[in-house]
Structures are given as structure tokens and as C-alpha cells.
Amino acid sequence: MKLILIGIQGAGKSTQGNLLSEKLGIPYLSTGHIFREMAKEKTPLGRYIKETINAGYLIPDEKTLEIVTGYLHRPEYEKGYIMDGFPRTTQQAEKFENGIDKVIYLKVSDKEALWRLSGRSDNRQDDTLQAIRKRINLFHEFTEPVIDYFKKKGILVEIDGEKQIEEIHKEILSKLH
Ligand code: AMP
């Protein structure tokens, strides 16, 4: 099964992604994690990615598509995956023809997300308040159209992400058929 998780930062994508991964026996991967690993490389590409993610900007679509497609060719993703953080723009969605089964949209308000993130202990280097606000704005501008795109395709599952973790998990499972 090929699943996509969409939601603003702080919506609970990695929490739900990992729960689903365990339950369904499908690997979870996130483009944010992939890019943060690449940002550690002391190469021009590594430095470019580091600067871009620390500023809260998006990596260009072509580069993102190339990297994601490369990852998904690995044998561990052959049977399926739970993808967090991609596609983030309509161009990425349109160019990514990979037989996605369902797109799970975890809906939370900006206020709730900011509140959750302010109390998070695993603060990342790119988690300055300014970068978080930038990412939330980019989500509204570029990723909300992606939600509509999948809605029109009839594979969108919208979930209230402000409920309890276990409740959300059960609701997602009930809507995967
Ligand atoms: P995330 O952990 O999903 O918030 O991702 C961290 C950062 O990685 C983002 O702020 C972007 O700079 C970059 N990134 C992750 N996924 C994508 C994507 N699909 N397209 C472009 N940039 C991305």
C-alpha cells in the first residue's frame, strides 16, 4: 500500500506515520529526514540543502522529484511506503506517477500546530520560530492546492488531527479500505 501523509508541521504526521508503519508492516519515510541527512554532507549540494531548509524554504521541485524517485526505487519500498512531506507542491504531485492508494490529510489549525511545536523537546536546527512560520505559510500557499488535487482524484482522506493520537490512528485505519 502506498500512502501519503499531508499536514502542516506539528500536525502529527510522523507520529501517525510510525504507528501506521508498525501496524501495516510498511516502511515510513519522510523527505524532511532525507533532506536533513543530505544537509550534513560537505558537498555543494549538501550546503545548498542545509541553507534552504534552515531558512524554511522548499527544495526546488525537480531536485526533490529526482531525490524522492531515487529513494523509492530501493527494494525496501517495493511493496509500499508511508510518505511524509511529499508531494508539497502541485508540480510535485502531477509529476509523481507512482500509484498512490490514499492521501491522508491530518488537519490541525495553525494555532494548535504552533502550540504543539513550542513545547516540543526534539527541536531541530531548522526549527526557529521564523522558519516554522515560513513553513506554515508555504503550506497554505503551495500544499493546500495539492490537497485539492488529490481530492479531485478521489483518494483524499481528511482526518481531524486535533483528536487524541490513538483515536486518530483508529480513524485512519478505518478509512484505508
Ligand atoms: P519537514 O521535516 O517535512 O518539515 O521538512 C523539512 C524541510 O525539508 C522543509 O522545510 C523543506 O525545506 C525541505 N522539504 C521537505 N520535503 C520537501 C518537498 N517535498 N519539497 C521541497 N522541500 C521539501
Side-chain angles (χ1 to χ4, degrees):
M1 192 181 306
K2 294 172 179 174
L3 301 175
I4 301 277
L5 285 164
I6 292 192
I8 50 177
Q9 191 183 355
K13 298 187 299 300
S14 80
T15 303
Q16 293 300 330
N18 282 299
L19 284 173
L20 282 173
S21 171
E22 211 169 292
K23 179 82 184 174
L24 304 171
I26 307 170
Y28 163 83
L29 79 161
S30 90
T31 45
H33 178 76
I34 294 170
F35 286 137
R36 279 190 293 280
E37 285 303 305
M38 292 180 78
K40 291 181 189 160
E41 290 166 18
K42 305 251 174 290
T43 59
L45 179 63
R47 275 190 287 273
Y48 169 74
I49 291 178
K50 185 176 173 183
E51 278 173 24
T52 308
I53 66 177
N54 283 355
Y57 286 108
L58 294 177
I59 307 294
D61 288 335
E62 288 300 327
K63 194 93 241 141
T64 301
L65 279 156
E66 185 189 313
I67 292 166
V68 171
T69 310
Y71 252 82
L72 294 180
H73 276 128
R74 294 182 178 182
E76 61 261 44
Y77 302 118
E78 208 174 56
K79 287 199 204 117
Y81 50 80
I82 299 158
M83 169 72 88
D84 166 356
F86 174 92
R88 236 165 132 142
T89 65
T90 26
Q91 214 209 350
Q92 290 178 9
E94 281 164 7
K95 292 205 173 165
F96 182 69
E97 287 302 334
N98 207 272
I100 299 164
D101 293 291
K102 288 268 190 271
V103 175
I104 300 151
Y105 170 34
L106 289 175
K107 195 172 180 179
V108 302
S109 66
D110 294 1
K111 197 175 155 205
E112 170 72 13
L114 282 166
W115 171 248
R116 289 182 186 179
L117 292 168
S118 67
R120 200 141 104 171
S121 57
D122 64 338
N123 275 352
R124 308 176 327 216
Q125 205 188 345
D126 60 332
D127 261 355
T128 59
L129 190 61
Q130 204 183 7
I132 292 170
R133 282 195 197 280
K134 175 103 224 144
R135 275 188 227 111
I136 289 180
N137 291 339
L138 287 174
F139 179 87
H140 293 307
E141 190 175 347
F142 294 106
T143 312
E144 262 165 13
V146 176
I147 295 168
D148 286 336
Y149 174 86
F150 288 122
K151 200 174 195 167
K152 287 195 188 105
K153 284 198 168 264
I155 55 171
L156 189 81
V157 171
E158 192 172 315
I159 303 278
D160 177 358
E162 297 198 8
K163 292 185 182 168
Q164 294 297 311
I165 292 174
E166 221 10 75
E167 210 178 322
I168 296 171
H169 176 60
K170 283 190 189 136
E171 202 172 321
I172 296 174
L173 287 174
S174 75
K175 293 191 174 166
L176 286 185
H177 312 291

